[in-house]
């Protein structure tokens, strides 16, 4: 689920020089949003998945046309945002549009669609930032609605949306290590991402550390989303935590190996998942 | 006429820092293209005008929806380009997408539409760069087609497109001072822009220099297009060169006073046009 998707534009230039004019050598356009990446990974694995969220305006229409998984988005009046990433020989420069302001009526329409979807779903993944206009407890509201309809939830966000959402008791919270300190007494499982070093999971069944067999170089964008996809699938299947974490680490590594966020190197995934080191922690 | 229009995005940020991530404070979107600016200025003056050119893809549809004048664009398969201008407290940084590659079939379709339009027009203004795929003599072809149908022409472009186009004998060529040196023995009138210092015109009827009564500060983008609009109107009306040049300088100044390219400060225009200094030159 992606409440704040984007049209991600990547511009390749020779060197970004402030206050100069640049001819862009190459333009890449993709549907951006953490929830869309989660859906794309599950779709690539052959799992039934449906992407949802909010889309609006001409940019929203472009994003929708680029989504390759089944989807059911709620239309909004505002314009879906763009992100521009300017890649030069040194590194990347990001420009993030502020995005639309969502009205109360649109938020209510989304919730109505969401309730219909979670009635048929086993797990919902709530990913990414909240657009302007939504309350900080938006994810808390959605987590409670899911639970009422016997749908489990994975929360992957940050800041106030994480803090308020985690308080509603999602089944899994996936903060990064820095965000963890802000979380007050989570009752659910917490899966902390430690970047290339892997994951630490603290669950009612125990705590584990899972590390990839080797360091993978590539594009780390989307690794966390691949991990969230693995958590959702494992939650649905009741996979024991050690096997689930091995799967999550292998999928994250396979996402790093793929050049584009939301894609995975399926061969790398298959070759890695039996070799992830999982051991009890703490 | 705009063969290479754009969706112009202006992003306001605090300070552009290479290899950092920026939250864009404000996003402005407009239909960009020198010919669209010319049409907008003539439309604001109450003159009958029709904008034409090439538009394609989702970005082309957004541009088309933003055009406020009558228009008749030829659709192309490629995506109309975007330009991103990042404005910070110091200055502006430009990122120009390469734009679509126009096919021979699309170019032929455009010419068919163009011939129908010039049959009913008195003057055509050919403005801006050529998209990829068009020959360097594209403007020359269009100038000859216009002449065959008794339609006069104003050419405002640069580089090879200017050199080859000027050779076809448009009624007025409007190069900037740097481009002038490259022009081989133009037979038509040449109106050189000298930025805030005004214009120098070399015509079969004589040469004049026209200067604004005072320096105007503001947004110089679009001043040249306002000047081209004045030239087109004067050509249609057979306005004597001194009065035509005074009008062009006043309209250019009124464009500088307006915050957005393609708009003019009509009161500034009215207050200025009687006060432009025009004197014989050379």
């Amino acid at each position: 689920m992606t409440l704040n998707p984007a049209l991600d534009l990547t511009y390749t230039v020779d060197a970004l020089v402030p206050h100069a004019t640049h001819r862009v050598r190459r333009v890449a356009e993709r549907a951006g949003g953490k929830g869309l990446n989660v859906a794309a990974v599950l779709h690539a694995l052959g799992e039934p998945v449906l992407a949802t969220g909010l889309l609006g305006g001409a940019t929203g229409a472009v994003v929708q046309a680029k989504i390759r998984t089944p989807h059911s988005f709620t239309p909004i009046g505002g314009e879906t945002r763009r992100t521009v990433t300017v890649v030069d020989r040194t590194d990347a420069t990001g420009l993030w549009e502020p995005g639309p302001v969502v009205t109360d009526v649109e938020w209510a329409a989304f919730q109505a669609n969401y309730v219909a979807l979670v009635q048929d779903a086993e797990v919902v993944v709530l990913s990414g930032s909240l657009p302007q206009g939504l309350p900080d407890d938006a994810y808390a509201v959605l987590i409670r609605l899911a639970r009422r309809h016997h749908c489990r939830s994975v929360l992957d966000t940050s800041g106030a949306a994480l803090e308020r959402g985690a308080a509603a008791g999602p089944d899994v919270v996936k903060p990064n290590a820095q965000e963890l300190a802000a979380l007050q007494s989570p009752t659910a499982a917490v899966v902390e991402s430690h970047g290339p070093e892997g994951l630490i999971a603290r669950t009612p069944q125990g705590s584990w550390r899972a590390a990839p067999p080797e360091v993978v170089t590539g594009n780390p964008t989307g690794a966390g989303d691949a991990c969230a996809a693995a958590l959702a699938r494992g939650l649905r299947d009741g996979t024991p935590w050690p096997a689930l974490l091995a799967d999550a680490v292998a999928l994250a590594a396979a996402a790093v190996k793929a050049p584009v966020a939301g894609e995975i190197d399926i061969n790398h995934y298959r070759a890695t998942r039996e070799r992830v080191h999982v051991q009890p922690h703490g």
Side-chain angles (χ1 to χ4, degrees), chain A residues 111-124:
Chain A
Q111 290 179 63
N113 186 39
Y114 174 85
V115 166
L117 298 178
V118 292
Q119 283 173 352
D120 291 333
E122 297 189 71
V123 184
V124 60

Side-chain angles (χ1 to χ4, degrees), chain A residues 78-237:
Chain A
E79 276 276 330
T80 291
R81 68 202 168 114
R82 281 168 290 231
T83 70
V84 177
T85 303
V86 184
V87 176
D88 66 12
R89 283 183 296 249
T90 308
D91 205 343
T93 305
L95 294 158
W96 293 16
E97 292 190 6
V101 180
V102 179
T103 67
D104 292 347
V105 170
E106 290 162 348
W107 173 224
F110 173 78
Q111 290 179 63
N113 186 39
Y114 174 85
V115 166
L117 298 178
V118 292
Q119 283 173 352
D120 291 333
E122 297 189 71
V123 184
V124 60
V125 180
L126 307 105
S127 293
S129 60
L130 296 175
Q132 297 176 72
L134 290 197
D136 284 346
D137 72 347
Y139 282 136
V141 169
L142 298 178
I143 288 163
R144 289 189 200 101
L145 282 172
R147 190 161 51 229
R148 192 171 305 157
H149 295 282
H150 312 290
C151 175
R152 273 153 306 168
S153 53
V154 177
L155 177 63
D156 183 9
T157 184
S158 60
L162 170 63
E163 205 176 316
R164 300 294 298 273
D171 293 271
V172 182
V173 189
K174 196 195 138 296
N176 61 32
Q178 296 99 290
E179 295 277 2
L180 191 68
L183 280 186
Q184 305 274 331
S185 59
T187 53
V190 177
V191 178
E192 309 162 29
S193 59
H194 288 262
E197 287 156 42
L199 302 171
I200 295 176
R202 302 169 204 275
T203 82
Q205 290 78 40
S207 291
W208 290 270
R209 173 187 288 275
E214 61 261 326
V215 172
V216 177
T217 56
N219 177 9
T221 315
D225 302 327
C227 173
L231 294 171
R233 181 168 67 168
L235 208 54
R236 179 197 66 188
D237 295 343

